[in-house]
Amino acid sequence: MTQRLFGFAGGEEGTWEVISMKSLIGIPLPSVRRVEMVTGDNASPDATWLLRGITSNERYVTRDEKTQLLAAQRGLARPEATHAALIPIRKNPAWWALPQDERRAIMEERSHHTRIGLNYLPAVARRLHHCRDLGPNEPFDFLTWFEFAPEYAVAFDRLLDELRATDEWHFVDRETEVRLRRG
Amino acid sequence: MTQRLFGFAGGEEGTWEVISMKSLIGIPLPSVRRVEMVTGDNASPDATWLLRGITSNERYVTRDEKTQLLAAQRGLARPEATHAALIPIRKNPAWWALPQDERRAIMEERSHHTRIGLNYLPAVARRLHHCRDLGPNEPFDFLTWFEFAPEYAVAFDRLLDELRATDEWHFVDRETEVRLRRG
């Protein structure tokens, strides 16, 4: 069975060393020194915080976009991809009240979310985790995990700048950026 | 805060008396005499089974469809709506692997899911609960709860027949129908 549920545990221990934590909007996450990615519910009880998310079906991409993404993207855990970022975001109630066609129009026709991401493939590997429907009290709606080689860190900053300048990002009401390196 | 997480507990006790249980496809649910709808995680430990689901944003409807639905539909718990149905379904992996545009095309352009439902409003009230992203081990993907007055029971049978005859239903690999009356 494919693993779908993942946790990100921030604390004193973990494979990933925190380089920086930055709160963009909303309540910050408490600072930690390390982050461990865990599968299922196997988090250490010693963690300062645990963010959980589940991989799921795509909510917006068309067949053409999916084909382009699959052709260009690479998997996680490549040996050269020693840098990572964990970006938890929450979107506001106005976003969730929109019907599907209007959310799609904002994300793609106006904000070009997929096209922006495609420009950074295969250098930046990505896995999206959904949190909103895990339960009624999750602190974020999405956790996105990115991995890349150190020489792509500047390009990754540009990717984030481009996404944050979109119309879609007007609906983000909580966002923290955790930058990490392995070891 | 709006209640989003609901449970349906089948057993010897509950507000809703089981009239019939029918397994359409896949593993049946064990027979029970009564069903209780609970909020959050407040289920009785004595229940034979507990199905959990969370209300969420719409995944397919457009602004026009949403406007039509909102104008026509009525809420749950109307005094005359003494009959109910709980219909848990699961869709197969082929469904979940489809991109958004193809799932939408099957549901609406080919199967007319929303238009079929609109024909039975306001008589049949409905609440959809999502289960698939509650966790990796949920037995169903969706729980739909319907309420209607007894004189609409035959119309409700026709609604189910119409939906089950659609292309969309080829992707359903587990479905049970629990028919209930209050008291």
Side-chain angles (χ1 to χ4, degrees):
Chain A
M1 195 165 124
T2 311
Q3 185 64 48
R4 293 180 57 216
L5 184 66
F6 294 89
F8 297 90
E12 291 294 308
E13 296 186 1
T15 305
W16 296 90
E17 179 192 1
V18 173
I19 302 169
S20 65
M21 288 182 65
K22 179 165 70 168
S23 174
L24 283 297
I25 186 170
I27 302 169
L29 269 181
S31 291
V32 293
R33 294 178 58 188
R34 290 186 165 267
V35 170
E36 184 68 26
M37 187 198 296
V38 300
T39 54
D41 282 315
N42 304 311
S44 159
D46 296 332
T48 304
W49 42 256
L50 171 66
L51 302 177
R52 298 160 69 244
I54 191 161
T55 61
S56 189
N57 59 296
E58 285 106 355
R59 305 295 160 85
Y60 299 101
V61 299
T62 63
R63 170 65 66 186
D64 283 353
E65 290 161 350
K66 183 167 180 163
T67 302
Q68 288 180 64
L69 287 167
L70 287 173
Q73 75 195 4
R74 298 280 303 277
L76 298 181
R78 290 172 292 171
E80 70 273 23
T82 57
H83 279 218
L86 172 66
I87 305 196
I89 71 166
R90 189 179 66 188
K91 285 181 172 170
N92 66 20
W95 173 261
W96 294 111
L98 292 173
Q100 178 70 23
D101 56 338
E102 295 185 6
R103 275 181 280 109
R104 159 79 199 182
I106 293 166
M107 281 196 70
E108 297 302 337
E109 283 73 25
R110 283 163 52 190
S111 301
H112 311 293
H113 192 126
T114 299
R115 200 191 309 165
I116 290 171
L118 270 167
N119 291 338
Y120 296 89
L121 297 181
V124 177
R126 167 187 176 275
R127 191 171 65 207
L128 175 65
H129 311 78
H130 298 253
C131 326
R132 185 164 187 264
D133 292 341
L134 280 177
N137 301 313
E138 294 299 315
F140 292 97
D141 292 333
F142 303 100
L143 312 175
T144 315
W145 176 259
F146 301 91
E147 290 179 6
F148 45 89
E151 59 266 35
Y152 289 106
V154 172
F156 182 72
D157 284 334
R158 203 167 58 234
L159 165 60
L160 295 181
D161 287 346
E162 287 185 52
L163 285 172
R164 289 174 184 151
T166 61
D167 282 356
E168 182 193 347
W169 241 254
H170 293 144
F171 294 91
V172 173
D173 71 4
R174 189 175 181 191
E175 179 176 12
T176 291
E177 177 185 329
V178 187
R179 299 289 283 262
L180 305 141
R181 73 182 144 227
R182 194 183 285 152
Chain B
M1 198 165 125
T2 311
Q3 184 63 47
R4 292 179 58 216
L5 184 65
F6 294 89
F8 297 90
E12 291 294 308
E13 295 185 3
T15 305
W16 297 90
E17 180 192 0
V18 173
I19 302 170
S20 65
M21 288 182 64
K22 179 164 70 168
S23 175
L24 283 298
I25 186 169
I27 301 169
L29 269 182
S31 290
V32 293
R33 293 179 57 190
R34 289 186 164 268
V35 170
E36 185 67 28
M37 186 198 297
V38 300
T39 53
D41 282 315
N42 304 310
S44 159
D46 297 333
T48 304
W49 42 256
L50 172 66
L51 303 178
R52 297 159 70 243
I54 191 161
T55 60
S56 189
N57 60 297
E58 285 105 355
R59 305 294 160 85
Y60 299 101
V61 299
T62 62
R63 170 66 66 186
D64 283 352
E65 290 161 350
K66 184 167 178 162
T67 303
Q68 289 180 65
L69 287 167
L70 287 173
Q73 76 196 2
R74 299 279 304 278
L76 298 181
R78 290 172 291 170
E80 71 274 21
T82 57
H83 278 219
L86 172 65
I87 305 195
I89 71 166
R90 190 180 64 189
K91 286 180 171 171
N92 66 19
W95 173 262
W96 294 112
L98 291 173
Q100 177 70 23
D101 57 338
E102 296 185 5
R103 275 181 279 107
R104 159 79 199 183
I106 293 167
M107 281 197 69
E108 297 302 339
E109 283 73 27
R110 282 163 53 188
S111 301
H112 311 293
H113 191 125
T114 299
R115 200 191 308 165
I116 290 171
L118 271 168
N119 291 337
Y120 296 89
L121 296 182
V124 177
R126 166 186 177 275
R127 191 171 63 207
L128 175 65
H129 311 78
H130 298 253
C131 326
R132 184 166 188 264
D133 292 340
L134 280 178
N137 301 312
E138 294 299 314
F140 293 97
D141 291 334
F142 303 100
L143 312 175
T144 315
W145 176 259
F146 301 91
E147 290 180 5
F148 45 89
E151 59 266 35
Y152 290 106
V154 171
F156 183 72
D157 284 334
R158 201 166 59 234
L159 165 59
L160 296 181
D161 287 346
E162 287 185 53
L163 286 172
R164 288 174 184 151
T166 61
D167 283 357
E168 183 193 346
W169 242 255
H170 294 144
F171 294 90
V172 172
D173 71 4
R174 189 175 183 192
E175 179 176 12
T176 290
E177 176 185 330
V178 186
R179 299 289 282 261
L180 305 140
R181 72 183 146 227
R182 193 183 285 153

